[in-house]
Amino acid sequence: MIPQAAPPLRIARFRREVEAAIASVLGGDAYILGSAVASFEAAFARHCGGRHGVGVASGTDALTLCLRALGIGPGDEVILPSLTFAGSAQAILQCGAEPRFVEVDARTRCIDPAAVADAVNGRSAALLPVHLFGHPCDMPALMAIADRHHLAVIEDCAQSHGATLDGRRLGGFGHAAAYSFYPTKNLGCIGDGGAVVTDDAGLADRLRSLRNYGFAPGERVSRTLGFNARLDEIQAAILLALLPHLEAGNAERRAIASRYRAALGSCPALGLPPEADGCVYHQFALTHPDRDGLMRHLAAAGIGSAVHYAPGLHRHPAFVEGAARPLPVTDALSRTLLSLPIQPEVAREGVDRIVAAVSSFHAARPR
Ligand SMILES: Cc1ncc(COP(=O)(O)O)c(C=O)c1O
């Protein structure tokens, strides 16, 4: 069986470094907000080309704390794509604000700047572009709209560690970038973890306070409503050990994507992901009109695949109020998208088998 993703295989590959990281925490002198978190925050911010890194407990917390720290709350709307993971919208509701779902571009599967421009209204306070599957959103167009309407921009980089657009690192266009280190991510730990990277020192200070009960540095007095949303030392130490391997892992993902592209490009029923130099292929997601049939065929051939995402968030009971308009592009994608294995440790040796299985389904289908 080739699983769609298998985080333990990545940990096995770097086992010695991970075990040394864990041992360093066990023998250290602080288990919460100690030197591993501080070192990882500095290293990760540097890697992202940002000034400040703030480790938090998850990607959802990274988004929630950013929105709170930027003063977004009841009465505000936050514009985001409907085709994304639920955490993006949960964070908005956590702040008492309302998600306003808009369409994605059918080709890039990322938020459509024209739809954003259409959705802006007097209550719009922030924009939350998601670099879905590691593909860059059209940040210049989005920043122009945000600047015109004074919207805060939080880039959801949960799927785009290390990705670039025109040579510029994603996460550096908006006011802040939110990362998840959920185990399947391009940089993932062995539990939950997240971080915010920003150039804004004041925002970073507010985030450090919000993640720790609203305390000011060196005090144990709550200055504001805060959270217990800290990145823990063990996860930080592991992330610090894995960070130097991130770029090589992204290069392997690009190489696997090229092999898929070369082998599957001639199947007319398949919609391949768009090409972009800076994409880091968190997923290799293609469309097929009989997505469910293809998934069953792959499963019978011992190949895992996954759906990202169905239904669109505008159809989740928790979020339906944010569905002001029909979103036919999102609905069509959520019926047809499937993600092939792309994690290097899983897919590297299996590409030929996966390609053969996809192609044989295609050949077997009646025309
Ligand atoms: C696009 C996106 N946003 C937000 C999140 C939330 O991150 P977490 O699961 O770490 O809370 C995830 C991933 O899980 C994600 O893929």
Side-chain angles (χ1 to χ4, degrees):
M1 176 77 191
I2 300 175
Q4 201 273 334
L9 293 182
R10 175 167 38 195
I11 297 303
R13 179 176 177 184
F14 300 113
R15 184 157 199 117
R16 269 194 307 149
E17 287 149 272
V18 170
E19 283 181 349
I22 294 171
S24 74
V25 175
L26 295 180
D29 52 12
Y31 291 151
I32 296 287
L33 293 184
S35 59
V37 168
S39 303
F40 173 68
E41 288 176 338
F44 189 62
R46 206 167 36 248
H47 181 270
C48 296
R51 291 214 179 95
H52 310 281
V54 180
V56 293
S58 69
T60 306
D61 282 335
L63 292 166
T64 306
L65 268 53
C66 275
L67 291 164
R68 289 240 179 197
L70 289 164
I72 287 151
D76 292 331
E77 275 188 8
V78 179
I79 300 172
L80 78 165
S82 173
L83 190 72
T84 181
F85 179 68
S88 313
Q90 288 282 355
I92 298 167
L93 289 188
Q94 291 283 358
C95 300
E98 286 170 39
R100 174 70 186 264
F101 298 112
V102 300
E103 276 291 28
V104 290
D105 178 278
R107 193 186 67 84
T108 67
R109 295 98 177 248
C110 287
I111 194 165
D112 179 354
V116 173
D118 246 22
V120 174
N121 64 72
R123 294 173 58 209
S124 308
L127 174 60
L128 205 156
V130 181
H131 303 299
L132 196 72
F133 307 146
H135 186 91
C137 294
D138 183 351
M139 289 313 296
L142 294 171
M143 290 311 295
I145 298 166
D147 288 347
R148 206 173 319 127
H149 298 283
H150 309 291
L151 306 178
V153 178
I154 300 162
E155 291 177 65
D156 185 335
C157 292
Q159 305 190 3
S160 61
H161 314 71
T164 56
L165 175 63
D166 296 332
R168 218 175 129 184
R169 188 86 71 182
L170 294 184
F173 288 85
H175 300 100
Y179 291 86
S180 164
F181 305 121
Y182 183 79
T184 56
K185 302 303 189 205
N186 291 32
L187 178 62
C189 51
I190 62 165
D192 278 309
V196 178
V197 176
T198 179
D199 284 342
D200 180 336
L203 179 63
D205 286 345
R206 294 198 295 285
L207 290 165
R208 287 180 204 284
S209 168
L210 282 172
R211 74 175 170 184
N212 196 29
Y213 309 105
F215 291 166
E219 286 187 4
R220 293 176 75 79
V221 174
S222 290
R223 304 260 169 198
T224 181
L225 173 64
F227 300 80
N228 176 349
R230 302 166 300 218
L231 179 65
D232 78 61
E233 283 285 289
I234 287 195
Q235 304 304 343
I238 292 169
L239 290 164
L240 199 53
L242 295 179
L243 180 60
H245 303 294
L246 171 62
E247 291 304 320
N250 285 345
E252 287 183 285
R253 285 172 185 265
R254 288 191 186 105
I256 293 165
S258 300
R259 289 174 63 194
Y260 277 144
R261 211 179 278 290
L264 297 173
S266 57
C267 289
L270 293 176
L272 297 184
E275 285 191 75
D277 287 345
C279 179
V280 292
Y281 293 97
H282 173 58
Q283 298 294 351
F284 189 86
L286 38 81
T287 57
H288 192 286
D290 183 10
R291 183 263 312 279
D292 297 343
L294 176 53
M295 287 182 79
R296 279 194 299 274
H297 177 82
L298 292 175
I303 292 157
S305 59
V307 173
H308 301 107
Y309 291 93
L313 298 189
H314 66 293
R315 295 190 179 278
H316 288 213
F319 309 132
V320 281
E321 283 174 18
R325 292 182 198 172
L327 300 175
V329 176
T330 299
D331 285 340
L333 284 169
S334 60
R335 278 194 300 271
T336 54
L337 276 172
L338 82 158
S339 304
L340 296 180
I342 184 87
Q343 182 192 328
E345 297 79 25
V346 169
R348 206 191 303 103
E349 311 300 329
V351 169
D352 293 341
R353 233 183 91 196
I354 296 166
V355 162
V358 173
S359 306
S360 67
F361 178 71
H362 188 247
R365 275 172 61 82
R367 299 202 170 228

